[in-house]
Amino acid sequence: MKASVDVTQIRPVTDFIRNYKAYLTRIKMTRRPEVLTVNGVAECVVVDAQTYEEMKQAWEEARFIKAVHEGIASMNAGQDKPLRESFRE
């Protein structure tokens, strides 16, 4: 997946509303996000369902990894509690 949005895939939301079937077909085929604008300002990004699920999974994995790293850092800094004390709480 690309880190940035292809500037050729930025389009006005009014065009999307008029031609949504063509947009959905193109997005499903290319699996590339398209930015929709209102008055020239980016408002939303449209992606196909499969790409969305992949992004969601990657985000959840990143959150988990971050939480584990934070826990390890807390433990290394001596901010942890003994297991028995944690269970008592």
Side-chain angles (χ1 to χ4, degrees):
M1 205 174 312
K2 282 184 120 178
S4 62
V5 176
D6 182 351
V7 294
T8 63
Q9 303 305 322
I10 299 174
R11 305 176 194 276
V13 74
T14 53
D15 189 51
F16 175 80
I17 291 168
R18 279 188 232 118
N19 303 299
Y20 74 92
K21 287 182 183 180
Y23 273 78
L24 297 180
T25 300
R26 182 175 58 246
I27 291 167
K28 285 180 188 178
M29 286 178 55
T30 64
R31 297 198 61 220
R32 296 181 65 127
E34 294 201 15
V35 177
L36 301 182
T37 63
V38 175
N39 298 322
V41 177
E43 283 291 317
C44 64
V45 177
V46 181
V47 296
D48 66 288
Q50 183 179 350
T51 300
Y52 171 77
E53 286 300 323
E54 290 169 2
M55 291 169 56
K56 185 175 144 191
Q57 181 67 33
W59 180 76
E60 289 171 357
E61 288 173 12
R63 277 186 50 206
F64 175 77
I65 290 168
K66 180 182 177 194
V68 168
H69 284 279
E70 288 172 354
I72 291 169
S74 174
M75 187 177 67
N76 288 339
Q79 298 171 342
D80 57 325
K81 295 179 186 177
L83 182 61
R84 291 180 199 269
E85 184 181 330
S86 294
F87 278 123
R88 270 186 255 141
E89 290 180 6

